[in-house]
């Protein structure tokens, strides 16, 4: 057997990856977008709100129940008071784009959480491009965006050898804010 010594450049662990920013597995992506309409009562208004979410997302919304009775709000425990829908992939990006357009690509710094996710609300669903229907009415809604890295998230989800996502690989508030400004040419206000 012939032994060829490897050049020193090949042995260094960082040489193949280059700079950390260039690592494609560290790129930020949208994991999911959650749209929520909290009506505060069950019945006809909630049904109409779920119809709005269905028209918007093309998916069947899920109803949320009240955790406990609050007499001042007129809600009882386990009464359905809100509906939400989770959207992933291309559809999530497209709906987020429409939502940010309503906000004029302007978010507050406190809209971002420490874990690198962010959310905002809009007052009228018709701003998203849906036709106004007098029988439905107008509903506001919350957008919540959960971020992830392009790769490496499986270690926390798999069955065998499950482990935590490393500190270096977690999404941070500053990174998500930078991603928002770069991707959407967004404006961050105090």
């Amino acid at each position: 057997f012939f032994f060829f010594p490897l050049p020193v450049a090949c042995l260094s662990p960082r040489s193949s990856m280059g700079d950390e920013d260039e690592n494609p597995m560290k790129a930020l992506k949208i994991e999911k977008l959650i749209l929520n309409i909290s009506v505060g009562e069950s019945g006809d208004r909630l049904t109409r709100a779920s119809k709005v979410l269905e028209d918007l997302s093309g998916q069947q919304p899920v109803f949320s129940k009240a955790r406990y009775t609050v007499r001042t709000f007129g809600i009882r425990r386990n009464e359905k008071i809100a509906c939400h829908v989770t959207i992933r992939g291309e559809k999530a990006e497209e709906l987020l784009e429409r939502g940010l357009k309503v906000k004029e690509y302007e978010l507050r710094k406190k809209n971002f959480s420490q874990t690198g996710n962010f959310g905002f609300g809009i007052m009228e669903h018709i701003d998203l491009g849906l036709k106004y229907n007098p029988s439905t009415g107008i509903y506001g809604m919350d957008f919540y965006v959960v971020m992830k890295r392009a790769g490496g998230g499986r270690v926390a989800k798999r069955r065998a050898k499950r482990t935590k996502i490393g500190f270096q690989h977690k999404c941070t508030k500053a990174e998500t804010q930078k991603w928002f400004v770069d991707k959407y040419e967004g404006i961050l206000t105090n």
Side-chain angles (χ1 to χ4, degrees):
F1 294 102
F2 295 104
F3 176 68
F4 295 107
L6 286 168
V8 178
C10 294
L11 297 174
S12 69
R14 274 266 172 243
S15 64
S16 60
M17 282 194 214
D19 205 8
E20 284 174 30
D21 302 333
E22 292 169 27
N23 186 349
M25 291 299 196
K26 284 200 100 169
L28 283 180
K29 287 170 71 176
I30 297 169
E31 184 178 342
K32 58 187 172 183
L33 166 70
I34 298 107
L35 297 179
N36 176 53
I37 299 180
S38 193
V39 179
E41 59 180 327
S42 56
D44 196 33
R45 276 192 67 212
L46 185 61
T47 313
R48 292 201 303 261
S50 73
K51 184 81 177 81
V52 167
L53 281 183
E54 199 171 337
D55 293 345
L56 200 59
S57 65
Q59 295 171 209
Q60 186 72 41
V62 180
F63 293 101
S64 307
K65 292 176 178 178
R67 280 187 273 183
Y68 33 76
T69 304
V70 182
R71 288 190 65 184
T72 51
F73 297 156
I75 58 168
R76 291 186 304 278
R77 185 166 180 265
N78 286 337
E79 181 185 4
K80 290 178 180 174
I81 56 168
C83 53
H84 66 271
V85 66
T86 303
I87 305 148
R88 296 170 197 268
E90 300 280 313
K91 190 94 198 224
E93 287 185 30
E94 184 247 321
L95 275 170
L96 176 61
E97 182 85 48
R98 277 157 65 182
L100 287 169
K101 202 177 200 176
V102 174
K103 298 294 275 186
E104 296 172 347
Y105 299 98
E106 197 168 305
L107 291 180
R108 298 173 72 178
K109 284 183 182 163
K110 58 164 71 164
N111 285 22
F112 293 80
S113 75
Q114 291 301 318
T115 49
N117 305 324
F118 66 97
F120 58 92
I122 61 167
M123 298 297 278
E124 299 181 349
H125 74 271
I126 51 173
D127 294 337
L128 295 169
L130 288 174
K131 273 278 193 334
Y132 173 64
N133 185 350
S135 64
T136 306
I138 290 180
Y139 291 95
M141 65 179 68
D142 304 319
F143 282 68
Y144 198 75
V145 182
V146 178
M147 302 298 292
K148 67 170 185 178
R149 300 249 186 230
R154 184 173 175 267
V155 294
K157 304 267 193 249
R158 64 194 179 190
R159 182 151 177 241
K161 298 189 171 72
R162 185 178 299 177
T163 182
K164 289 181 183 174
I165 291 178
F167 177 74
Q168 295 286 319
H169 209 64
K170 285 188 173 142
C171 303
T172 64
K173 186 175 185 172
E175 280 179 316
T176 306
Q177 287 176 346
K178 184 181 180 304
W179 173 86
F180 166 69
V181 171
D182 293 348
K183 180 161 184 177
Y184 295 107
E185 293 170 8
I187 303 156
L188 289 173
T189 59
N190 284 339

